[in-house]
């Protein structure tokens, strides 16, 4: 069997094994999760781009040393499923891209955008909200779609604005969308649920939007745009409303089911995504056509997950290694020694650590894993899990948009054939600084109100 088949097969089998383990709690499925996670990371490794490959090998190497020092390499096999539950979101939610693609939603979003972008600020907001809306369930796959849909002759004159809107829209989704791995990460490690996080995440999203508009106001210009002859305003608005309604319905159904069953929100969302993708797709495709789309998904979309998926598996492995080595306790001892113990002081300190690592090429998930394990396990912060989760999400969102090594900036650099440092630092550093200060002040207010 070709190694190319191993990749999608191992990912899907890992996802379904994790889903079955969450539903049945049978240890055999936990073993299968670890086994297929190992197959997945080994089969993806030869195909990864240079930076993720070096990082993953380094992570696994350090993890192996820690496992040998503290026990045995078998502990590494156990650590392969540390982030498996979180990865269910990453694997199954993108299935919703199938009906979104065939339902003509993206084209109609672009039509609405074209009609109403009468100024550069409106252009920025429409692109940003397009990514926030569709991207809330499609994730990284939204980035190239929105880029190509909005890459018109007029928009190309304002490409930095287009790129910043896409990046910021994508990063702000990290703060609230239940379909993003960031929210899954917080739910998995901290004693919080999505209903607690979402309202504050949306407040941060609003703050990020306001900050972006304020920073752009002095550069605002009027735009002259022309609509396609075949533009149908009623159809475009109907499709847009339909998409928003379906996303809202999926989220509402997930919340209701989660409140009625003894399963995690991550399991519920994964099941709802699988079922919804199938039912929704049949409104636009025959069953045979859907199966073809599903096969195409496994051959194109799943292999494209390689960098992020492998990094999350590796981050889980080193997170487990750190946990059994006591490094999390050493971090707490260090914070205590330097007098940093209050939650509102810890958040900016660990945020700076995460930011520095993300700027030197270490993807943010790695330091976030270490910090989250340490803080979530400490009795000192048991009553502050929500604040810590929000603080972590805030810095995660900022590293996504400002780090030259983040997935979205590397992807945009690849699409435009430009330097990711231009997008990460030049376009978004000022925005990130102002947004973090604003978000942190909001976090202080939240801390004293709840």
């Amino acid at each position: 069997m070709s190694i190319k088949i191993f990749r999608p097969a191992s990912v899907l089998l890992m996802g379904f094994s994790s889903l079955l383990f969450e539903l049945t709690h049978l240890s055999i499925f936990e073993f299968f999760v670890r086994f297929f996670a190992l197959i997945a990371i080994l089969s993806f490794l030869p195909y990864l781009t240079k930076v993720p490959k070096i990082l993953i090998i380094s992570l696994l190497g350090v993890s192996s040393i820690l496992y040998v020092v503290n026990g045995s390499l078998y502990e590494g096999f156990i650590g392969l499923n540390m982030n498996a539950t979180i990865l269910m979101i990453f694997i199954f939610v993108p299935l919703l891209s199938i009906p979104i693609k065939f339902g003509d939603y993206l084209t109609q979003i672009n039509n609405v955008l074209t009609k109403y972008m009468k100024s550069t600020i409106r252009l920025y907001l429409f692109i940003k909200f397009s990514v926030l809306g569709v991207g809330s369930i499609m994730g990284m796959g939204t980035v190239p779609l929105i880029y190509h849909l909005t890459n018109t002759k007029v928009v190309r004159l304002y490409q930095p604005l287009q790129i910043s809107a896409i990046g910021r829209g994508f990063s702000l989704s990290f703060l609230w969308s239940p379909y993003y791995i960031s929210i899954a990460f917080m739910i998995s490690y901290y004693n919080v649920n999505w209903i607690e996080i979402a309202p504050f995440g949306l407040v941060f999203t609003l703050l990020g939007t306001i900050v972006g508009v304020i920073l752009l106001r002095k550069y605002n210009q009027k735009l002259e745009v022309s609509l396609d002859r075949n533009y149908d305003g009623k159809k475009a608005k109907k499709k847009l409303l339909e998409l928003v309604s379906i996303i809202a319905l999926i989220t509402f159904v997930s919340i209701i089911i989660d409140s009625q069953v003894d399963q995690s929100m991550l399991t519920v969302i994964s099941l709802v995504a699988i079922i919804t993708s199938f039912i929704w797709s049949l409104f636009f495709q025959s069953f045979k056509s859907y199966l073809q789309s599903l096969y195409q998904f496994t051959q194109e979309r799943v292999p494209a997950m390689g960098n992020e998926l492998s990094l999350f598996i590796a981050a889980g492995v080193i997170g487990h290694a750190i946990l059994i080595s006591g490094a999390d306790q050493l971090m707490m001892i260090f914070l205590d020694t330097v007098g940093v113990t209050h939650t509102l002081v810890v958040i900016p300190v660990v945020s700076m650590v995460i930011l520095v690592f993300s700027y030197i090429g270490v993807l943010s998930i790695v330091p976030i894993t270490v910090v989250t394990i340490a803080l979530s396990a400490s009795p000192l912060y048991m009553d502050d899990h929500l604040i810590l989760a929000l603080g972590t999400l805030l810095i995660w969102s900022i590293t996504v948009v400002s780090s030259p090594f983040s997935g979205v900036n590397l992807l945009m650099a690849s699409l435009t054939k430009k330097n990711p440092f231009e997008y990460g630092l030049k376009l978004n550093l000022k925005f990130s600084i102002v947004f973090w200060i604003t978000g942190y002040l909001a976090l202080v207010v939240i801390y004293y109100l709840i």
Side-chain angles (χ1 to χ4, degrees):
M1 184 183 292
S2 168
I3 196 169
K4 292 182 179 181
I5 298 176
F6 273 126
R7 286 184 291 163
S10 59
V11 170
L12 294 173
L13 288 170
M14 178 182 67
F16 279 112
S17 297
S18 184
L19 192 57
L20 288 170
F21 174 70
E22 291 297 317
L23 293 171
T24 66
H25 299 290
L26 295 175
S27 58
I28 184 65
F29 292 122
E30 189 173 33
F31 171 82
F32 283 142
V33 172
R34 294 166 180 158
F35 175 75
F36 289 122
L38 179 61
I39 298 297
I41 200 167
L42 291 177
S43 60
F44 271 111
L45 203 56
Y47 297 89
L48 299 179
T49 53
K50 185 177 179 180
V51 172
K53 183 183 291 187
I54 293 172
L55 181 55
I56 288 168
I57 292 174
S58 301
L59 290 175
L60 295 178
V62 173
S63 300
S64 298
I65 295 171
L66 291 174
Y67 285 126
V68 170
V69 170
N70 293 282
S72 69
L73 283 175
Y74 182 71
E75 286 290 335
F77 182 70
I78 293 174
L80 284 165
N81 72 335
M82 277 289 285
N83 285 340
T85 305
I86 301 169
L87 285 169
M88 288 193 304
I89 297 286
F90 192 73
I91 295 167
F92 295 124
V93 168
L95 286 169
L96 294 169
S97 65
I98 297 174
I100 288 176
K101 176 183 177 182
F102 285 92
D104 195 35
Y105 295 103
L106 295 171
T107 302
Q108 298 307 326
I109 286 174
N110 186 54
N111 287 336
V112 172
L113 185 151
T114 303
K115 179 176 174 61
Y116 291 101
M117 57 179 191
K118 302 291 179 65
S119 67
T120 50
I121 283 185
R122 285 196 178 189
L123 168 64
Y124 170 82
L125 288 173
F126 274 109
I127 294 177
K128 184 173 183 175
F129 284 120
S130 295
V131 177
L132 268 172
V134 181
S136 66
I137 60 173
M138 279 185 61
M140 186 71 82
T142 311
V143 173
L145 284 172
I146 297 297
Y147 169 75
H148 289 301
L149 280 172
T150 59
N151 197 32
T152 61
K153 184 177 180 180
V154 172
V155 174
R156 278 195 292 273
L157 298 174
Y158 302 92
Q159 191 178 72
L161 194 71
Q162 177 198 26
I163 300 304
S164 62
I166 291 174
R168 294 173 193 179
F170 178 76
S171 69
L172 292 178
S173 296
F174 271 66
L175 294 163
W176 64 272
S177 173
Y179 308 105
Y180 266 54
I181 207 158
S182 54
I183 297 296
F185 202 85
M186 296 303 109
I187 293 172
S188 180
Y189 282 98
Y190 287 114
N191 186 29
V192 294
N193 56 54
W194 180 73
I195 292 295
E196 293 176 284
I197 293 174
F200 299 114
L202 289 170
V203 169
F204 287 147
T205 300
L206 178 61
L207 286 176
T209 302
I210 293 171
V211 167
V213 170
I214 290 174
L215 292 177
L216 286 172
R217 280 187 67 183
K218 64 180 180 180
Y219 304 108
N220 192 32
Q221 298 177 26
K222 290 185 177 181
L223 295 179
E224 295 294 332
V225 296
S226 56
L227 288 168
D228 190 286
R229 284 186 198 173
N230 300 320
Y231 173 74
D232 185 338
K234 288 185 178 179
K235 179 182 178 182
K237 291 178 182 178
K238 180 182 177 183
K239 294 297 288 187
L240 182 59
L241 179 62
E242 185 179 303
L243 178 61
V244 171
S245 300
I246 292 173
I247 292 174
L249 180 61
I250 293 171
T251 305
F252 178 74
V253 168
S254 298
I255 294 169
I256 295 299
I257 294 174
D258 178 59
S259 67
Q260 299 298 316
V261 300
D262 187 23
Q263 293 292 337
S264 73
M265 184 66 163
L266 310 183
T267 305
V268 171
I269 288 175
S270 299
L271 286 170
V272 169
I274 293 169
I275 295 169
T276 303
S277 172
F278 173 69
I279 296 173
W280 192 4
S281 295
L282 293 182
F283 282 93
F284 312 113
Q285 300 174 272
S286 66
F287 179 71
K288 182 179 179 180
S289 177
Y290 173 71
L291 291 179
Q292 291 173 342
S293 297
L294 201 57
Y295 176 76
Q296 188 177 19
F297 174 86
T298 65
Q299 298 304 302
E300 296 178 4
R301 183 71 174 89
V302 173
M305 299 175 179
N307 287 344
E308 293 81 7
L309 185 139
S310 301
L311 278 166
F312 271 95
I313 295 174
V317 173
I318 197 169
H320 181 66
I322 288 168
L323 193 61
I324 67 170
S325 68
D328 55 326
Q329 296 173 6
L330 291 176
M331 175 182 159
M332 298 309 301
I333 292 171
F334 169 75
L335 291 175
D336 184 57
T337 302
V338 297
V340 178
T341 55
H342 194 284
T343 302
L344 292 179
V345 181
V346 166
I347 287 173
V349 170
V350 298
S351 294
M352 183 59 65
V353 171
I354 293 167
L355 200 64
V356 168
F357 274 103
S358 72
Y359 278 12
I360 63 174
V362 180
L363 297 192
S364 51
I365 179 60
V366 179
I368 284 173
T369 297
V370 176
V371 167
T372 303
I373 287 174
L375 296 180
S376 63
S378 172
L380 191 62
Y381 304 106
M382 284 300 177
D383 295 330
D384 295 329
H385 277 198
L386 178 58
I387 295 297
L388 290 170
L390 293 174
T392 307
L393 288 171
L394 181 61
I395 192 61
W396 199 339
S397 172
I398 285 168
T399 60
V400 165
V401 75
S402 64
S403 170
F405 302 100
S406 73
V408 67
N409 283 326
L410 289 172
L411 178 56
M412 291 310 305
S414 174
L415 290 170
T416 59
K417 310 299 181 187
K418 291 188 178 180
N419 193 320
F421 284 86
E422 181 178 341
Y423 295 146
L425 296 175
K426 186 176 179 181
L427 285 182
N428 291 307
L429 184 59
K430 184 178 180 180
F431 164 81
S432 299
I433 293 170
V434 177
F435 178 39
W436 189 87
I437 293 171
T438 308
Y440 180 72
L441 292 175
L443 199 61
V444 172
V445 173
I446 293 168
Y447 177 85
Y448 286 107
L449 286 179
I450 62 174

